[in-house]
Amino acid sequence: MSGADRNLLSVRGLVVRYPAGVQSAASLTAVRGVDLDIPQQGIYGLVGESGCGKSSLAHAILQLKPVAAGQALWHRQDLLSMRGSQLRSARRKIQLVFQDPLASLSPRRSVLQTLVEPLDHFGIGQAGTGQAGSREEQASAALETVGLSPDLRHRYPRELSGGQRQRVALARALITEPELIIADEPVSSLDVSVQARIIELILELREKLGIAFLFVSHDLAVVGQLADTVGVMYLGKIVEQGAADDVFARPAHPYTRALLAAVPVADPDHPRPEILKGEPPSPLTPPSGCVFHKRCPEPITPCSTIVPTETSLQDSQTTDHRVRCHLWNSTKN
């Protein structure tokens, strides 16, 4: 089986634009020609600062954001050209978990009502209660899958802890038996101990159920605990991507190195990292050349005028470590 055949999802040249204002003809390009692949049972970690386009990319795959160009190939069929029942069928197999479970769960619906809703929507299972295969029974099973007691099914989101709410959100995604879950900052609103349990749960779900994940986060430390592949995004572009072990061991892009250096270390004698200078530029007025050059600690002449192409690191431990940087020859070792 070829690499393309193993991929559940292949994104190619994806561009997302928004109108800059009601009375303006200008547009804001949030995603600038992104390519990525997610194989069966794979976990792709998409990381970058807030506002870099991660969520726009994740939501555009399911046509929840406007797509100006590109493809999102699901089992080699373009999701972005699907309509009606075909799109509905694909969305059953690609579920989305949002950042804030308190906002994404209706306060007026009990846990049971929340879990039964997608079953009703997609026509899964039997209506009615108390019978084998009923939707209520499927909801209880989904709760057990994410480590919650079925006794919680009659509670409301306000009666649950943050970790419990996020597990309910995961159960809602799981109940349609998806092949891929797009998790958009699913642990950023949780404390560290709860984050660790949710990460363990995601790894268990991948192992037991064979589910693949697109895991969106601003936190490289979190991504490093679970991702097989990492993509580092800056101002709408993926500037570096590859096998997680390879990217973490030998980051090639200055931005990736800065993110890794900023990961907290439990050692008071550990040297404090240098903070990146300046702020990310506005996507309304992106800089010419490399989008990172105004904050780069090592800019060279081509950076301000020439857009770097994606280049494979030839001595990489894997064959898929790629970087967009004019400096890559000096940074790969």
Side-chain angles (χ1 to χ4, degrees):
M1 184 182 292
S2 69
D5 291 335
R6 288 195 300 269
N7 290 330
L8 276 179
L9 180 70
S10 294
V11 174
R12 293 291 178 268
L14 194 69
V15 177
V16 177
R17 291 195 183 100
Y18 304 109
V22 176
Q23 298 180 336
S24 173
S27 62
L28 181 156
T29 304
V31 179
R32 303 169 180 274
V34 164
D35 297 344
L36 62 83
D37 295 306
I38 304 176
Q40 296 176 16
Q41 301 185 42
I43 299 180
Y44 188 106
L46 184 63
V47 68
E49 292 172 289
S50 296
C52 72
K54 306 185 302 296
S55 293
S56 291
L57 169 61
H59 295 178
I61 290 169
L62 285 171
Q63 298 189 33
L64 301 178
K65 297 293 184 184
V67 177
Q71 293 181 309
L73 301 175
W74 173 252
H75 291 288
R76 293 180 289 176
Q77 292 186 307
D78 188 12
L79 275 166
L80 305 181
S81 64
M82 291 181 184
R83 299 292 184 270
S85 61
Q86 189 182 26
L87 178 60
R88 181 189 183 94
S89 178
R91 283 176 169 172
R92 174 181 172 177
K93 292 298 182 181
I94 309 173
Q95 289 291 299
L96 184 59
V97 175
F98 294 94
Q99 175 178 353
D100 182 359
L102 191 57
S104 65
L105 300 175
S106 171
R108 297 185 177 184
R109 290 179 179 268
S110 68
V111 170
L112 176 60
Q113 291 171 322
T114 294
L115 297 181
V116 166
E117 183 180 19
L119 298 177
D120 290 339
H121 178 76
F122 291 109
I124 302 170
Q126 304 173 29
T129 60
Q131 54 185 318
S134 70
R135 289 172 183 167
E136 183 173 353
E137 189 175 75
Q138 288 177 273
S140 295
L143 288 174
E144 290 180 332
T145 299
V146 298
L148 292 176
S149 169
D151 293 340
L152 296 178
R153 67 189 184 277
H154 298 300
R155 293 191 186 180
Y156 288 82
R158 64 181 179 274
E159 300 175 299
L160 304 175
S161 69
Q164 287 174 327
R165 286 193 288 262
Q166 197 58 286
R167 286 174 186 261
V168 170
L170 274 169
R172 179 176 59 183
L174 290 171
I175 206 163
T176 65
E177 299 182 346
E179 296 176 66
L180 171 68
I181 291 177
I182 298 175
D184 187 6
E185 298 270 13
V187 298
S188 63
S189 63
L190 307 175
D191 63 45
V192 174
S193 62
V194 179
Q195 282 185 11
R197 291 196 291 271
I198 296 296
I199 289 168
E200 289 174 3
L201 175 59
I202 288 173
L203 291 171
E204 288 174 11
L205 293 174
R206 190 261 291 269
E207 182 68 25
K208 293 178 180 178
L209 303 179
I211 298 173
F213 285 83
L214 172 57
F215 188 94
V216 177
S217 178
H218 65 276
D219 191 334
L220 263 177
V222 170
V223 168
Q225 296 178 60
L226 54 83
D228 308 310
T229 305
V230 173
V232 180
M233 199 168 185
Y234 186 83
L235 202 66
K237 285 184 175 289
I238 292 184
V239 296
E240 182 168 2
Q241 65 179 317
D245 290 345
D246 210 16
V247 171
F248 276 77
R250 301 185 314 141
H253 197 282
Y255 180 59
T256 309
R257 296 204 303 272
L259 290 179
L260 285 169
V263 173
V265 176
D267 180 358
D269 297 323
H270 187 81
R272 297 184 66 180
E274 290 188 22
I275 305 299
L276 280 174
K277 61 183 180 182
E279 297 290 332
S282 168
L284 275 172
T285 55
S288 59
C290 173
V291 293
F292 185 64
H293 82 265
K294 290 188 175 182
R295 302 178 73 195
C296 183
E298 310 167 64
I300 57 177
T301 302
C303 297
S304 62
T305 56
I306 301 173
V307 177
T309 58
E310 189 172 64
T311 308
S312 293
L313 273 65
Q314 296 175 352
D315 65 346
S316 163
Q317 299 299 312
T318 63
T319 59
D320 64 351
H321 190 170
R322 290 164 283 160
V323 63
R324 292 180 183 272
C325 181
H326 294 298
L327 288 168
W328 80 273
N329 281 320
S330 62
T331 60
K332 65 181 179 178
N333 293 320

